[in-house]
Amino acid sequence: MKIPLHTFLITGGSSGLGAATARMVAQNGGNALIADLDAASGADLENELGPQACFVPTDVTKEESVLAALRLAEERFGGLHGVVNCAGIIIGKKVFGKRGPHSLEAFEKIIRVNLIGTFNVIRLSVPLMARGEPNEGGERGVIINTSSIAASDGQIGQAAYSASKGGLASMTLPLARELSQHGIRVATIAPGIFRTAMTDNMPEAMRETLARQVPFPPRFGEPDEFAGLVRHITENAMINGAIIRLDGGLRMDPG
Ligand SMILES: NC(=O)c1ccc[n+]([C@@H]2O[C@H](COP(=O)([O-])OP(=O)(O)OC[C@H]3O[C@@H](n4cnc5c(N)ncnc54)[C@H](O)[C@@H]3O)[C@@H](O)[C@H]2O)c1
């Protein structure tokens, strides 16, 4: 799947990994639909990127909200060729902490946004992508999800976050298998630690400790490096049903 003249819905596109992906798409001649709750940053990014980008206020957990974003993709850009799911939230909470057991509400919220929200966007996007004209290789679309290395090496306090990201990793293959009949590929990126708003909120000491654990390069990843992998997955038709770690060799300690 080529990027020029093709349209990509990017959830969580107002910030961090999603914003870098939107920039990459627009800079390579594609159309970026920035779907996010954060309207102020989304509008700024739309202004920065010009007519190839469009912000649409979106809550990935709400059916009507996602359908409205998809209607805009069709009206403004004439269809949909890619979905990059970056919308996500994080919490750190022990199952049995000083204040008692993990709140079930907090657990449900993480699963709702990270896992159910991603699935909601996928299930509603596929019908639109499947209606598109296939390219010369028979391809109609690509779906890229953002899991985390916490799916496999979650630290203490990450039970909810790891469960949500593990769900994304586990659904990669069944989705790829089913959607192959429509010429739609599915892949999942499992980032290590990247410099975004999500990690900017961590205490400085924790960030330094984490960065030192990365074998090479011993630093946080840059959002552009994530967007570079999104570009490669999009362009390389053999990547399908895969979960790709992007982590500088990091295997997180128990925390
Ligand atoms: N930064 C990292 O180190 C790292 C590592 C592994 C995985 N990830 C994952 O990468 C993804 C992107 O994270 P980031 O680091 O860019 O964080 P970020 O906080 O910069 O961006 C996340 C975006 O998601 C949006 N969002 C949250 N809930 C939403 C909802 N219900 N509907 C629509 N948008 C919503 C936020 O408004 C925000 O703009 C997340 O899924 C995160 O879990 C990040």
Side-chain angles (χ1 to χ4, degrees), residues 39-125:
S41 308
D44 286 350
L45 189 58
E46 178 186 273
N47 287 335
E48 176 195 321
L49 299 179
Q52 278 168 258
C54 179
F55 169 72
V56 53
T58 308
D59 182 343
V60 295
T61 67
K62 302 272 187 319
E63 175 169 301
E64 196 38 59
S65 180
V66 174
L67 285 173
L70 292 167
R71 276 195 296 275
L72 192 66
E74 206 169 10
E75 284 161 23
R76 171 95 184 251
F77 299 122
L80 185 67
H81 307 96
V83 172
V84 186
N85 282 302
C86 291
I89 54 173
I90 192 166
I91 53 157
K93 259 187 206 311
K94 287 186 177 169
V95 177
F96 181 33
K98 286 193 188 102
R99 292 195 200 131
H102 196 298
S103 123
L104 198 54
E105 207 177 42
F107 189 90
E108 281 176 353
K109 185 169 182 199
I110 291 278
I111 299 290
R112 179 149 297 280
V113 175
N114 294 359
L115 180 57
I116 300 177
T118 298
F119 182 72
N120 191 35
V121 173
I122 293 171
R123 80 186 175 98
L124 296 171
S125 300

Side-chain angles (χ1 to χ4, degrees), residues 15-17 88-90 148-149 155 158 161 191-208 210-211 219-223 250 252:
S15 174
L17 306 183
I89 54 173
I90 192 166
S148 165
I149 60 168
Q155 296 187 297
Q158 290 193 319
Y161 185 70
I193 43 170
F194 278 70
R195 196 181 50 80
T196 68
M198 193 175 268
T199 48
D200 283 350
N201 291 332
M202 290 177 181
E204 181 66 28
M206 187 193 284
R207 282 193 283 142
E208 278 173 14
L210 275 171
R219 60 166 174 81
F220 279 36
E222 292 296 327
L250 173 63
M252 290 194 293

Side-chain angles (χ1 to χ4, degrees), residues 165-251:
K165 296 300 185 178
L168 293 178
S170 295
M171 72 185 185
T172 307
L173 186 61
L175 286 170
R177 285 175 161 164
E178 178 185 337
L179 300 182
S180 61
Q181 63 185 300
H182 303 291
I184 297 171
R185 290 184 291 119
V186 184
T188 295
I189 300 175
I193 43 170
F194 278 70
R195 196 181 50 80
T196 68
M198 193 175 268
T199 48
D200 283 350
N201 291 332
M202 290 177 181
E204 181 66 28
M206 187 193 284
R207 282 193 283 142
E208 278 173 14
T209 310
L210 275 171
R212 270 200 305 276
Q213 286 177 26
V214 186
F216 191 85
R219 60 166 174 81
F220 279 36
E222 292 296 327
D224 283 354
E225 293 168 322
F226 173 89
L229 181 56
V230 170
R231 180 179 179 181
H232 184 77
I233 292 170
T234 302
E235 293 175 344
N236 189 331
M238 278 309 286
I239 298 179
N240 195 14
I243 301 156
I244 303 173
R245 291 180 74 118
L246 187 68
D247 61 7
L250 173 63
R251 302 293 180 271

